[in-house]
């Protein structure tokens, strides 16, 4: 990590970049926060470890409007989001200096906390850390394997390659050890009643905090239609239970074909709703109906849902 | 809130027999905004319209809802009526209580309830309507015809005769198209070139017509009244102004004698030199050098044509030239070809030279054709004594290898071929295998009956399963006679296949450039199959000839005329009214993400950096801008826009959700 | 003091639920949240796990109807004599049907001392003039059975606000309970608590008051070891508006804030609400729902004012908790429950805010 | 504080008994209880929540004076979804009203016996009209009254008829009207309110009461201070987004003060103490 800090310090000092978007040390063992560092001196608080799960690409929407270049630390999966934002003209590539940071999967603190209350320190979570992490709590210490504490999304890792970068720091690892669409298939296999019950159970927990939307790099609208008084979609609570489901379904439609499957929605949901399932179902269907497509892989590629082509079948025709 | 008048039409008994019109009036009277409601026997009639106008004035109405037939029928009528009374025409909504209600319901109560619901939705929408103003755009008084076959020629002549300038772009070295390949035409049996050549000459000499032969349309931008078209004039390697068309070069071209280059015009039944005119009557009568095959272009050696050309017209240095021309209207007359028969191996087309297509037969019977008009087998140059015609090869075909449609012309030209052959060689035995014989057309059935009754052509209802070339040079035809319900095994000398027609391969590219829609078979789609058959849904694009669907020559010529009239009607206008129901971007909410531009089929959306001011916002940012003249109001952008910044005027998101809400209420 | 074996809790709960609504933490789709007890609901682990949302919903639900407006459209010719029909032919008459107030008792089990303190904060807002009757009715009918913390977590810092998580009998609860070994100790505090206890007495055994002393001592010592319980509130509170409002620390720390409402919705004291209309088939339903000062449209007016930037909204929330509320009601409106610490998607929270100001002060001190 | 029955959040039905088109975008609505009479009693400067059910609810200042015993009036400018709906209503239509909310101008305390200077711009006259009419109806309690009122154009002057026929004719009242730009048929003063204020040059022996667009308030305040007015001598009324009207929903606070409950009327020295967030 010191190597990364040194490199960032050099970039700031020689004027290559005017600021750095990275993670700042938290006040606990596991809560670093996304941060914009503006001085070399402030980088002393920079941290990069297993808890730096946040996808920083969305912060570049605002940062790329600022004077000068911004260095941004992106993990392999974050670079897909960045590419998608380029495609949608939401970030200016030239104003970004992308440090592709290595990744060996990110940790799910909720998994660690299960049975480990009163955590005082966690060690071994750095990129070059051990296969086991050591958890110290006021109720006792424990070792668990890094792999067992991974975020669910890391088990379907899209790969260790950065899709876009100016330089790469650190080794990455493809942590995929599960079938990407296995969860979706499990739901597809349910009867309609079971599906309905499953989603009702999950979505009834929704508190409409909008964290999923606000963290989502595809939800980059200046003004979300759900916040816009111009439309009657604006709701902060669910008058009827129909709406709590509609919010997430409409959101899934809005990001369809643009969602890179970064998994931030599920990571931030305070109620642990597996929101990524909606998006992943869409991805699976798009793959099936339009051919394999990974949003954010190539910003120049045609997108199956939002690019008109003359090969598109006219309505009412066979095919 | 609007002051809305609701007018419910009986449409005689069309509506009133199923919908309780009086009850609809009573129920909608209490909808928000409604201040007046009435019914009448025929709302679209003079008297009905007077009623509307009177009510607008008396009740100070600001919006109208007409519950009547489909808006396709009378929306224009009622809008004009509102305008007469001083109301903006876009403050009128039509609730379709006929096609979508009275005609499809039997139960009076149900139909009445639905009529009320439809009226409510329209009322809810009118409450949110705002007056819209039509814009204006100028018209370039010049038309472009893509394709120089009989369809293009006729359209061009009609437009040019009306006094407007017309350009024809033809891909081949000469105009004339398919018709120039034909021998005789049905049902009159007059000679195709005798009636076509004068038209070709007329085109060439018409002061209002410019020909771009051996040229292709490369790009189209703009919109109705104002198209910019890029035309690539491919290098002929022959100076058009110097060439006298003497033909020396063709005669002396060494490749001509080697017989290696099949003639496209003669469907490969003979060969041509590398410098050539496709046929004798070609217009313009200027040869081109086929650079792919020309020895000079391949090796830098030869140069015979340049040396012998008396007028020094051959120019190897010539380059493709691109011109950009402005047009007000574009006619697509790209014509047809016959399908590739590779998938129909059972007919042995690729195996035996004596299995030919009808178009090849046309060339074989043509006096200027490869055999000088003498019908002979290509294998042994013997005159066939027995000929089998197979109909519907690839037409009316359910599976993937053929086409689902009827090619329309085959029944007639086969009868023509049979009679022509019998005329020349009466003892030829002719059998025609057919599914149905289709002869709807003036004098068509009489023509067909002549073949059967006078010429004793043997028509067999049934399909041919296989054609097997025999060692003795004959062909064995295995078929079935459905009427007699028996297998047929028949030896014959020649098999003629009535291969299905299909749109010219180039039409897909052209349609893409023009944003004109095509159907699954690549035929161009009409704006309305019945009421607007020669117009494309894209404004300013017109359809002529086979590009729109199978048709024979008289039909092609009449459609060409119809397209010409539509073009003239457009060019006669100095300004065009633009549809105000176009998309509009609210820069406050626009993300600048380009999604709308990516889904727009008309290229109507561009992006520009704009100063955006609003509550809490004052910055320059990338926002979508809609070109109102290009926008067709299809709404693709409004549904693709994630933030709801794009709205279709007259059909805004709010208006539509309000309609839905009021229906679901 | 009474006690009941923890394994018999289900019996206790169904006994309580027989007579009145019982609200308690329920495990649903992997998360713990307060909900209405029904036969067969999952109460596994509810005694030791923190709920995602506090129990404030029981008194101030996320969504509640205030009243319904019915519209009656009357044709002009049917209007009563003397009623003016104006220039329209019809008139809309409105009637208002207020939503009935809560009129039945209910029990809420399992609130912690911090949650109960949260209710006390809500009381300040809703029970001062003009009284919010919807809230008041629920408050009067609600019987709070508080549960002493058994395994405080590292995010907890209620003691900073003078709350004793080990002894809920010091809170405004009606009944205090403790987990002692395999038993739950039960101590009624108020009259309401006594009455409830009476109803279930048959299931309880009596216990000595001293039974819980060891547990209280244990929890107190655990609290001492937790990282955030040493937090200092110096410089916050009444009258600190100028000093804190104008600090440049806000600008330095707010950037990660997503402007989502997670912290406000899991908070036991956040009480901002919105009032909205919902058009139904037969009228208009006017409801109130939780709102969040973090949302960009919270204060937005047609002219664009005010609190237009996220830093202003971020500042508002913490100023409200730590300065404005003390100014107005003489108490902090943070209870140190740690939910925002656990749940903020960006790991930003009130503890970090307080620490950031503390550091700033230290650095400023060092520079002088 | 409020005389609603069930709860302060439940409104009463108000019936519109009169509508006056004041300017192209301002209408004054007269509201009565369904069975006649006033909905409630109020003091000058207080507001009420007026709602078109199904659309939304908004806080509007009560324009009529409490001395009017027959009805309440609201002068409302068309500027958003709610106000547009209000403008489309007709006499006989019903709305819902709750209130009165907030504090009032201290007409019975600080203002009593003093000279008063009212300075208003555009629709800013709406809250001041209530005070002016209250003072005129209790003329003996107040000293000299100066009214300086300006608008974009002559057509945008609200309540012009009342100004000309009542206020201008009242004893010891001076009315100064101005419009921003020259206009045909206008022979009065032309120029912005703050400029006109300096031109007239009022003496400081009075209380200033200011209401109008924020930019006007800013420059009027500057002008008054240059003339020697102190913060304690100047009052205004603030407006922020409000939902509940009773200091609970959490929107309209400036620091620890709620505009709906502790305001909307503030003396400038009180505003100075608040954080700059309005």
């Amino acid at each position: 990590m010191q190597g990364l800090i040194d490199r960032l310090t050099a970039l700031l000092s020689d004027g290559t970049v005017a600021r750095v978007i990275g993670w700042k040390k938290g006040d606990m063992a596991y809560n670093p926060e996304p941060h914009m560092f503006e001085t070399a001196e402030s980088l002393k608080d920079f941290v990069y470890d297993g808890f730096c799960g946040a996808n920083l690409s969305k912060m570049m929407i605002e940062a790329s409007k600022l004077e000068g270049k911004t260095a941004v630390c992106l993990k392999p999966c974050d670079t897909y989001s960045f590419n998608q934002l380029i495609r949608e003209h939401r970030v200016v590539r030239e104003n970004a200096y992308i440090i592709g940071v290595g990744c060996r999967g990110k940790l799910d603190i909720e998994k660690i906390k299960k049975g480990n209350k009163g955590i005082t320190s966690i060690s071994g979570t750095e990129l070059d850390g051990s296969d086991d992490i050591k958890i110290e709590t006021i109720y006792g210490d424990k070792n668990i394997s890094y792999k067992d504490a991974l975020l669910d999304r890391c088990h379907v890792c899209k790969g260790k390659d950065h899709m876009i970068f100016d330089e790469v720091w650190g080794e990455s690892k493809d942590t995929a050890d599960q079938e990407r669409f296995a969860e979706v298939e499990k739901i597809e296999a349910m009867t309609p009643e079971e599906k309905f019950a499953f989603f009702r159970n999950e979505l009834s927990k929704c508190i409409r905090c909008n964290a999923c939307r606000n963290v989502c790099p595809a939800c980059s609208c200046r003004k979300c239609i759900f916040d816009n008084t111009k439309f009657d979609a604006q709701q902060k609570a669910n008058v009827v239970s129909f709406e709590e489901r509609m919010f997430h379904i409409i959101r899934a439609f809005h990001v369809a074909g643009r969602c890179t499957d970064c998994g931030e929605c599920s990571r931030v949901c305070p109620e642990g709703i597996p929101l990524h399932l909606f998006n992943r179902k869409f991805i699976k269907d798009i793959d099936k109906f339009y051919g394999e497509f990974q949003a954010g892989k190539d910003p120049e590629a045609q997108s199956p849902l939002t690019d008109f082509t003359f090969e598109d079948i006219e309505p009412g025709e066979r095919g | 809130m609007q002051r809305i008048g609701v007018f419910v039409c009986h449409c005689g008994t069309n509506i009133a027999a199923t919908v309780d019109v009086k009850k609809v009036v009573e129920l909608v009277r209490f909808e928000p905004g409604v201040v007046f409601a009435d019914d009448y026997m025929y709302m679209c009639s003079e008297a009905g319209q007077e009623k509307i106008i009177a009510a607008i004035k008396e009740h100070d109405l600001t919006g109208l809802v007409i519950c009547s037939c489909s808006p396709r029928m009378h929306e224009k009528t009622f809008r004009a009526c509102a305008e007469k009374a001083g109301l903006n025409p876009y403050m009128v909504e039509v609730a379709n209580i006929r096609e979508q209600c009275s005609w499809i319901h039997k139960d009076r109560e149900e139909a009445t309830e639905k009529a009320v619901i439809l009226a409510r939705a329209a009322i809810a929408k009118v409450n949110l309507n705002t007056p819209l103003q039509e814009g204006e755009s100028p018209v370039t008084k010049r038309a472009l015809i893509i394709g120089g076959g009989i369809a293009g020629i006729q359209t061009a002549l009609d437009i040019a005769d009306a006094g407007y300038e017309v350009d024809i772009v033809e891909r081949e070295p000469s105009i004339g198209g398919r018709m120039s390949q034909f021998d005789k035409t049905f049902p009159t049996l007059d000679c195709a070139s005798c009636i076509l050549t004068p038209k070709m000459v007329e085109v060439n000499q018409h002061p209002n017509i410019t020909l771009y032969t051996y040229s292709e349309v490369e790009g189209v931008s703009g919109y109705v009244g104002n198209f910019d078209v890029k035309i690539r004039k491919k290098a002929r390697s022959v100076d058009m102004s110097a060439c006298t068309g003497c033909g020396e070069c063709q005669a002396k071209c060494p490749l001509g004698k080697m017989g290696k280059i099949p003639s496209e015009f003669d469907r490969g039944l003979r060969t041509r030199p590398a410098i050539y005119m496709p046929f004798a009557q070609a217009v313009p009568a200027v040869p081109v050098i086929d650079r792919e095959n020309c020895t000079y272009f391949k090796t830098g050696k030869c140069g015979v044509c340049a040396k012998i050309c008396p007028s020094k017209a051959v120019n190897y240095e010539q380059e493709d030239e691109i011109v950009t021309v402005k047009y007000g209207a574009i006619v697509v007359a790209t014509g047809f070809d016959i399908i590739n028969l590779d998938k129909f191996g059972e007919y042995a087309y690729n195996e035996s030279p004596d299995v030919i297509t009808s178009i090849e037969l046309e060339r074989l019977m043509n006096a200027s054709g490869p055999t000088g008009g003498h019908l002979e087998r290509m294998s042994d140059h013997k005159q066939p004594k027995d000929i089998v015609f197979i109909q519907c090869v690839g037409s009316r075909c359910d599976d993937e290898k053929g086409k689902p449609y009827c090619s329309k012309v085959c029944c007639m030209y086969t009868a023509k071929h049979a009679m022509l052959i019998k005329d020349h060689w009466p003892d030829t035995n002719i059998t025609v295998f057919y599914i149905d014989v289709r002869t709807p057309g003036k004098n068509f059935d009489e023509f067909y009956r002549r073949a059967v009754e006078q010429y004793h052509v043997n028509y067999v209802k049934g399909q041919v399963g296989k054609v097997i070339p025999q060692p003795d040079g004959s062909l064995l035809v295995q078929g079935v006679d459905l009427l007699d319900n028996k297998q047929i095994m028949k030896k014959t000398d020649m098999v003629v296949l009535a291969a299905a027609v299909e749109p010219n391969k180039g039409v897909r590219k052209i349609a893409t450039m023009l944003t004109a829609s095509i159907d699954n078979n690549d035929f161009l789609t009409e704006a309305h199959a019945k009421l607007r058959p020669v117009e494309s849904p894209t404004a300013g694009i017109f359809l002529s000839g086979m590009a729109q669907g199978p048709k024979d020559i008289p039909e092609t010529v009449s459609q060409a005329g119809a397209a010409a009239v539509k073009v003239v009607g457009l060019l006669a206008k100095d300004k065009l009214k633009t549809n105000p129901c176009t998309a509009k971007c609210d820069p406050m909410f626009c993300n600048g993400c380009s999604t709308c531009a990516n889904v727009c089929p008309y290229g109507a959306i561009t992006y520009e950096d704009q100063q955006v001011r609003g509550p809490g916002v004052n910055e320059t940012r990338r926002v979508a801008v809609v070109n109102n003249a290009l926008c067709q109001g299809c709404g693709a952008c409004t549904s693709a826009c994630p933030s709801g910044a794009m709205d279709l005027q007259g059909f805004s998101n709010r208006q539509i959700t309000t309609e839905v809400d009021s229906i679901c209420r | 003091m009474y006690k009941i074996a923890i394994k018999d809790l289900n019996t206790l709960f169904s006994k309580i639920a027989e007579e009145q609504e019982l609200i308690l933490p329920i495990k649903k789709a992997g998360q713990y949240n307060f909900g209405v007890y029904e036969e067969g609901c999952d109460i596994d682990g509810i005694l030791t796990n923190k709920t995602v949302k506090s129990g404030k919903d029981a008194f101030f639900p996320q969504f509640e109807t205030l009243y319904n407006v019915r519209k009656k459209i009357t044709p002009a010719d049917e209007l009563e004599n003397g009623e003016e029909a104006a220039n329209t032919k019809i008139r809309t008459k409105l009637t208002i049907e207020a939503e009935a107030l809560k009129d039945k008792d209910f029990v809420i089990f399992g609130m912690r001392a911090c949650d109960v303190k949260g209710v006390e904060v809500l009381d300040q807002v809703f029970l001062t003039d003009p009284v919010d009757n919807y809230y008041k009715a629920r408050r009067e009918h609600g019987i709070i059975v508080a549960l002493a913390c058994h395994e405080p977590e590292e995010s907890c810092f209620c003691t900073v606000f003078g709350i004793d998580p080990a002894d809920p009998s010091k809170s405004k609860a009606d009944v205090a309970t403790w987990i002692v070994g395999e038993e739950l100790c039960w101590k009624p505090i108020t009259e309401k608590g006594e009455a409830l206890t009476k109803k279930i007495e048959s299931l309880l055994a009596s216990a000595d008051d001293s039974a819980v002393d060891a547990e209280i001592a244990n929890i107190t010592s655990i609290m001492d070891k937790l990282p955030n319980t040493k937090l200092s509130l110096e410089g916050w509170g009444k009258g600190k508006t100028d000093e804190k409002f104008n600090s440049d620390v806000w600008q330095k720390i707010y950037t990660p804030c997503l402007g989502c409402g997670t912290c406000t919705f899991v908070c036991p004291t956040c009480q901002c609400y919105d009032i909205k209309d919902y058009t139904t088939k037969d009228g208009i339903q006017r409801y109130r729902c939780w709102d969040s000062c973090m949302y960009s449209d919270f204060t937005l007016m047609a002219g664009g004012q005010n609190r237009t930037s996220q830093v202003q909204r971020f500042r508002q929330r913490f100023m409200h908790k730590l300065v404005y509320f003390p100014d107005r009601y003489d108490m902090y409106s943070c209870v140190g429950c740690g939910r925002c610490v656990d749940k903020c998607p960006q790991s930003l929270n009130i503890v970090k805010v307080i620490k950031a100001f503390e550091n700033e002060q230290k650095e400023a001190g060092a520079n002088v | 504080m409020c005389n609603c029955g069930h709860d302060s959040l439940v409104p009463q039905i108000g019936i519109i008994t009169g509508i006056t088109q004041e300017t192209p975008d301002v209408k004054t609505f007269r509201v009565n209880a369904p069975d006649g009479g006033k909905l409630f009693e109020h003091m000058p400067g207080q507001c009420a929540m007026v709602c078109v059910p199904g659309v939304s609810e908004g806080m509007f200042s009560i324009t009529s004076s409490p001395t009017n015993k027959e009805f309440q009036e609201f002068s409302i400018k068309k500027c958003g979804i709610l106000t547009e709906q209000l403008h489309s209503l007709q006499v006989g239509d019903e709305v819902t009203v709750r209130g009165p909310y907030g504090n009032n101008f201290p007409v019975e305390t600080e203002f009593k016996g003093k000279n008063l200077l009212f300075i208003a711009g555009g629709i800013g006259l709406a809250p001041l009209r209530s005070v002016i009419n209250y003072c005129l109806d209790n003329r003996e309690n107040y000293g000299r009254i100066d009214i300086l009122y300006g608008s974009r154009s002559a057509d945008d002057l609200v309540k012009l008829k009342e100004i000309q026929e009542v206020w201008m004719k009242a004893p010891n009242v001076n009315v100064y009207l101005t419009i921003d730009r020259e206009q045909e048929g206008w022979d009065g003063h032309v120029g912005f309110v703050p400029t006109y204020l300096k031109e007239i040059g009022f003496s400081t022996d009075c209380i200033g009461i200011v209401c109008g667009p924020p930019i006007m308030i800013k420059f009027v305040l500057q002008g008054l201070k240059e003339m020697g007015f102190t913060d304690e001598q100047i009052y205004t009324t603030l407006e922020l987004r409000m939902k509940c009207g009773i200091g609970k929903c959490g929107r309209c606070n400036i620091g620890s003060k709620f505009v709906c409950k502790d305001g909307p009327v503030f003396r400038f020295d009180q505003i100075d103490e608040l954080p700059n967030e309005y």
Side-chain angles (χ1 to χ4, degrees), chain B residues 1-3 35 654, chain D residues 81 84-85 88 90:
Chain B
M1 193 161 280
Q2 308 284 0
R3 297 178 56 79
V35 295
R654 244 185 109 81
Chain D
I81 294 167
E84 252 168 50
Q85 283 293 325
S88 72
Q90 290 164 346

Side-chain angles (χ1 to χ4, degrees), chain A residues 106-266:
Chain A
K106 293 296 158 199
L107 298 166
D108 187 346
I109 184 61
E110 297 297 326
K111 283 183 186 165
I112 295 173
K113 275 187 181 174
K114 230 165 241 165
N116 291 301
K117 281 184 187 168
I119 296 170
T120 50
S121 94
I122 302 177
S123 52
T125 70
E126 299 82 9
L127 187 57
D128 52 1
S130 48
D131 288 343
D132 281 345
I133 52 176
K134 189 180 174 201
I135 302 158
E136 291 171 38
T137 82
I138 53 169
Y139 304 101
D141 301 349
K142 204 186 211 169
N143 279 3
I144 63 170
S145 99
Y146 193 91
K147 204 179 142 209
D148 290 344
L150 284 183
L151 287 163
D152 283 346
R153 69 182 189 206
C154 296
H155 292 292
V156 295
C157 177
K158 283 189 284 287
K160 60 181 180 149
D161 296 326
H162 293 87
M163 294 296 112
I164 186 169
F165 58 85
D166 290 297
E167 61 181 80
V168 168
W169 179 86
E171 287 282 312
S172 290
K173 206 171 113 186
D174 186 342
T175 55
D177 54 6
Q178 284 167 18
E179 181 53 46
R180 186 181 187 188
F181 297 114
E183 280 178 290
V184 174
E185 277 157 10
K186 220 169 99 190
I187 293 166
E188 283 173 339
M190 293 180 184
T191 64
E193 293 74 29
E194 285 168 342
K195 270 181 218 172
F196 191 73
F198 172 80
F199 282 110
R200 190 176 51 189
N201 199 32
E202 287 292 348
L203 294 179
S204 66
K205 292 184 294 178
C206 172
I207 57 172
R208 288 301 285 270
C209 67
N210 291 325
C212 51
R213 177 194 72 185
N214 290 12
V215 81
C216 174
C219 270
S220 64
C221 287
R222 288 179 207 285
K223 185 105 189 162
C224 174
I225 53 151
F226 283 100
D227 286 350
N228 193 335
T229 46
K230 222 174 102 182
F231 309 99
D232 293 333
Q234 195 200 27
Q235 295 296 344
K236 284 172 191 136
N238 311 310
V239 184
V240 286
S241 58
F242 175 69
E243 284 168 7
E244 79 200 3
R245 301 193 272 274
M246 286 318 285
F247 171 75
H248 295 289
I249 291 166
I250 290 172
R251 209 180 77 77
F253 269 101
H254 276 207
V255 303
R258 313 193 293 124
C259 166
T260 64
D261 204 4
C262 78
E264 285 285 89
C265 46
S266 293

Side-chain angles (χ1 to χ4, degrees), chain B residues 127-290:
Chain B
N127 266 316
L128 296 175
N129 276 19
T130 46
L132 298 176
Q133 298 304 334
E134 287 156 345
E136 275 187 344
S137 68
V139 179
T140 306
K141 297 189 179 290
R142 189 181 193 95
L144 169 69
I145 317 292
I146 304 174
I150 180 61
I153 287 171
Q154 189 60 48
T155 310
L157 286 173
D158 288 348
I159 297 171
D161 285 344
Y164 295 100
E165 292 186 289
V166 193
D167 295 355
I168 298 178
V169 171
E170 169 59 54
R171 194 174 49 184
E172 300 298 325
S174 166
I175 58 169
R178 292 282 162 261
M179 189 176 166
S180 62
Q181 294 175 300
F182 299 163
D183 183 32
K184 301 283 190 306
T185 57
F186 63 78
T188 48
L189 294 181
D190 39 8
C191 151
S193 53
C194 307
I195 55 175
L196 177 63
T197 313
K199 281 197 183 287
M200 290 165 62
V201 173
E202 195 185 344
V203 161
N204 201 22
Q205 292 171 351
H206 204 296
N208 282 344
I209 299 179
T210 308
L211 272 183
Y212 294 97
T213 47
Y214 207 48
S215 298
E216 285 183 46
V217 171
E218 190 130 298
V220 181
S221 62
Y223 47 91
V224 54
N226 294 281
F227 293 105
D228 284 302
V229 180
K230 246 196 243 169
I231 301 167
R232 175 180 292 271
K233 295 165 76 179
K234 289 179 283 186
R236 270 183 183 261
S237 316
V238 176
D239 183 347
M240 295 261 285
S241 51
C243 173
T244 59
C246 69
E248 274 298 292
C249 52
Q250 299 188 66
K252 298 280 159 53
C253 174
L255 282 170
K257 293 172 195 93
M258 290 159 81
K260 277 189 177 161
I261 314 169
S263 155
E264 294 86 354
F265 186 79
D266 283 312
R267 309 296 290 193
L269 296 177
R270 68 169 147 184
T271 59
R272 60 161 171 83
I275 185 164
Y276 72 106
M277 280 194 280
F279 55 103
Q281 305 92 326
V283 168
V286 177
V288 298
I289 295 181
D290 164 11

